[in-house]
Amino acid sequence: MSVLSRRSLLAGSAAATLAAGAAPAAAAAPAAGTATPGVYRYRIGTFELTALYDGIWYRPITDKFIPNASFSEVEHALDAAFMPHDRLATPFTTLIVNTGQKLVLLDTGTGGQIAPSAGVLRDNLAAAGIDPKAVDAIVISHFHPDHINGIKDKDNELIFPNAEIMVPGPEWAYWMDDANLNAAPAELKLTFRNQRRIFTDIARQVTQFEPGKDVAPGILTLPAPGHTPGHTVFAIHSGDQSLMVLSDTAQHPAVFARHPDWQAAFDIDGAAAVATRKRLFDRAAADRMLVTGYHFPFPACGHLVKTASGYEHVPVEWQPKL
Ligand SMILES: [Zn+2]
């Protein structure tokens, strides 16, 4: 890592002259010591969308992280993204869609149960002026803990008590099947058990949908299998505008958009995950669609540009007014 010295920064007479003319700072304000709320609001047609940050997890990774690439290639990609070699930056951004008729939450964050550096969704809901009791529906993309744990708090109480919970039928069928649980490796069994902790006592409040159907006017679900068998993405349409919600089609774009062929160890079917990623990314790039990804850096929305070897994510510009 390079360290900038005052001397190297001030090399050159113009900079030296500028520095000589600068007045000394007189401020002695105490440091705030906390981050600001992670809330980003935008519009799709008449719908008002609120991206809510739940925080970040640095997922430990090993040299087996990408089974179909050498670890030296992976290290090269991590270097290019300014990431360490032993952890994958995994931010979490949920999305609330106000259709004018309904308040719909897409995925629920970690519920403060994944990493100490995540679990700030409720603080950000408050900062955004959204009462969890006002959420009409929760729509889940897939059953990994970072997407469903925020249905409940640590004490097993519902965080959004009035929301209907809508889940992809194929996802429920796969994960709630005890034969699949029994056949799973030990680490994956934890995922199956977590799903039972979340869903068993609220099963009657859960509605299954078939990907391909609308879950609300203007919110279309689309099958996107691979990451998990029932993994689902969402197309939001209002007026002449649309947004594709990519869920976990790719994790951090600096790694997986740039290397769309990489199969992650945590994908249930790596080849299907790659096929789904390329299909959706090609479509988004060709149609210049606005997209958002659950693990893209906050505020998580932007565009995808096709490059010679993959895709590049171009973040949106922050807009202070809607
Ligand atoms: Zn995820």
Side-chain angles (χ1 to χ4, degrees), residues 142 146-147 248 251 294-295:
H142 67 294
D146 51 319
H147 299 256
D248 280 18
Q251 303 269 319
Y294 193 74
H295 299 298

Side-chain angles (χ1 to χ4, degrees), residues 243-247 249-260 276-293 296-297 300-307 310-316:
L243 168 75
M244 193 183 304
V245 180
L246 292 165
S247 309
T249 301
Q251 303 269 319
H252 202 296
V255 177
F256 289 97
R258 288 178 183 167
H259 303 276
T276 290
R277 184 181 304 146
K278 289 179 156 180
R279 174 171 60 82
L280 293 175
F281 279 33
D282 275 345
R283 166 94 190 273
D287 291 354
R288 300 177 67 82
M289 285 180 79
L290 190 65
V291 301
T292 183
F296 288 15
C301 62
H303 293 88
L304 290 165
V305 178
K306 194 155 188 167
T307 64
Y311 309 85
E312 196 68 31
H313 178 243
V314 181
V316 285

